[in-house]
Amino acid sequence: RADIAMYQAKESGRNNIQFFTQEMNQRLQERLQIESALRLAIEQREFLLHYQPKVDLRTGRIVGAEALIRWQHPEMGMVSPAKFISLAEESGLIVPIGKWTLHEACRQTKAWIDAGLPPLKMAVNLSARQFREPDLVQVIADTLHHSGLPAGLLEIELTEGMVMTDVNHVIKVLHELKALGLTIAIDDFGTGYSSLSYLHKFPIDVLKVDQSFVRDIQSQEDQSLIVQSVISLAHSLKLRAIAEGVETEAQLGYLRHHGCDEMQGYYFSRPLPADAFQALLASGKTLTPTST
Ligand code: C2E
Ligand code: MG
Ligand code: MG
Ligand code: MG
């Protein structure tokens, strides 16, 4: 009887393996397809950047923007970064894609300044792989040089996971980046594992409160306490606090009340194509004061 049970387990085990292989194979095919499409995407100029304004909560003015990559594939349509960034990361393709993003964001910002629009700080997301490239500092220095963008108008966004490993090396790289004159933000703050004993050693400028905490400001007291705490933490470390994912007037009011410095979110504007963003900048639109 024992023999029979074992045989059955093996059988069903084998079936499970077959089932998984088929599904995995399908997924692998899909990934390989996206990966080879990604390889072509730079040459074919299928990437573009959208820009989302960052608004100063005291003046209501647009003081910055975040560059967010979009992939317009001829057959797949608009592919969201959530879908392809991790694949680009695993395949290493994020390195050339990231270089393009950095260059395009700097070039565009300089072009807006040259066109007489009010200067704004442009934020660019760096991926983990890109951040670990040995020539990162040189690549950014070259990009600033070629685009002519003043370094003070470039902000790079890193995540906690990227800075909390190999801390001593990271601190060295961050100092080299700071020496170029740019500013550094920690993105999605609160979702990773930050050691507070390291945080104050990093030469950073901004904590971006993750949108998951902002979303629940109205409904969940503990989440709103996290938002309040991150703002206080930023200020006690002499950093700016930026809230992302702000969608409602109530969230805005809360953030203002707790002294958050800047906001970013659909409430003011979605990420926009370059021409629409330029029109928004030119319009001089400001955030209206909270009525209550
Ligand atoms: P992130 O850097 O945290 O960017 C914020 C995301 O929140 C963006 O999604 C933005 O469109 C979205 N968002 C902004 N305001 C609101 C709001 O009010 N409500 C909601 N629900 N969402 C809002 P997106 O553009 O899909 O980008 C997703 C993530 O992909 C980014 O998160 C970033 O981690 C990554 N990513 C985007 N562009 C790049 C890039 O050029 N390089 C790298 N390495 N990563 C990028
Ligand atoms: Mg970001
Ligand atoms: Mg974020
Ligand atoms: Mg996020």
Side-chain angles (χ1 to χ4, degrees):
R1 283 190 66 118
D3 279 357
I4 290 169
M6 219 154 79
Y7 173 75
Q8 281 173 340
K10 265 192 193 161
E11 267 299 274
S12 70
R14 199 177 293 151
N15 284 335
N16 278 338
I17 288 163
Q18 255 170 22
F19 173 73
F20 275 117
T21 343
Q22 240 175 41
E23 201 181 272
M24 279 163 70
N25 194 36
Q26 204 178 332
R27 238 181 281 159
L28 184 70
Q29 289 304 322
E30 201 183 282
R31 286 165 58 112
L32 288 175
Q33 226 176 325
I34 297 183
E35 203 179 299
S36 65
L38 264 179
R39 266 176 220 288
L40 284 175
I42 292 187
E43 295 170 38
Q44 318 271 26
R45 299 174 185 271
E46 289 166 4
F47 292 116
L48 64 155
L49 296 182
H50 280 187
Y51 300 90
Q52 186 175 38
K54 292 183 181 179
V55 179
D56 184 306
L57 284 175
R58 276 170 219 88
T59 64
R61 291 213 178 89
I62 299 175
V63 288
E66 178 173 8
L68 294 157
I69 196 165
R70 300 290 180 261
W71 181 16
Q72 181 65 63
H73 185 270
E75 280 118 48
M76 292 185 281
M78 198 69 105
V79 190
S80 96
K83 257 215 163 125
F84 71 86
I85 291 285
S86 61
L87 262 182
E89 178 94 27
E90 285 164 41
S91 60
L93 288 165
I94 193 69
V95 176
I97 294 170
K99 277 185 191 164
W100 175 84
T101 302
L102 199 57
H103 187 271
E104 178 59 14
C106 292
R107 184 203 63 76
Q108 180 64 83
T109 310
K110 179 64 163 65
W112 282 327
I113 294 170
D114 290 348
L117 291 153
L120 79 169
K121 197 186 268 283
M122 182 59 67
V124 177
N125 295 283
L126 293 192
S127 79
R129 179 91 170 234
Q130 218 182 341
F131 186 64
R132 284 198 308 268
E133 286 289 292
D135 64 350
L136 174 75
V137 178
Q138 193 56 51
V139 165
I140 294 183
D142 290 348
T143 305
L144 286 167
H145 180 74
H146 287 132
S147 63
L149 183 72
L153 295 183
L154 177 64
E155 185 152 277
I156 56 170
E157 296 193 2
L158 310 170
T159 59
E160 289 166 281
M162 287 158 69
V163 297
M164 287 297 164
T165 44
D166 200 359
V167 169
N168 288 325
H169 174 69
V170 165
I171 290 174
K172 188 173 148 272
V173 174
L174 295 183
H175 277 291
E176 287 170 18
L177 288 169
K178 288 289 294 179
L180 299 176
L182 48 73
T183 55
I184 301 169
I186 305 296
D187 201 357
D188 305 336
F189 190 81
T191 57
Y193 301 93
S194 268
S195 160
L196 295 183
S197 58
Y198 291 134
L199 199 59
H200 78 99
K201 292 186 182 167
F202 291 123
I204 55 173
D205 304 276
V206 176
L207 294 184
K208 289 188 80 176
V209 185
D210 189 65
Q211 55 188 59
S212 59
F213 305 121
V214 175
R215 192 178 307 134
D216 297 328
I217 277 177
Q218 257 18 70
S219 53
Q220 286 178 267
E221 201 189 349
D222 47 344
Q223 297 287 79
S224 57
L225 287 175
I226 292 173
V227 173
Q228 198 181 326
S229 308
V230 175
I231 296 169
S232 313
L233 176 64
H235 289 164
S236 55
L237 294 170
K238 307 242 180 330
L239 310 175
R240 275 184 289 142
I242 303 183
E244 60 179 6
V246 181
E247 294 184 353
T248 68
E249 180 151 356
Q251 292 165 345
L252 179 69
Y254 183 93
L255 294 163
R256 271 191 165 131
H257 181 73
H258 290 95
C260 189
D261 301 283
E262 291 170 35
M263 70 77 95
Q264 186 185 341
Y266 296 170
Y267 181 76
F268 185 77
S269 170
R270 286 182 175 258
L272 301 170
D275 51 355
F277 183 83
Q278 178 170 340
L280 178 73
L281 259 188
S283 77
K285 178 184 170 185
T286 53
L287 188 65
T288 44
T290 318
S291 43
T292 46

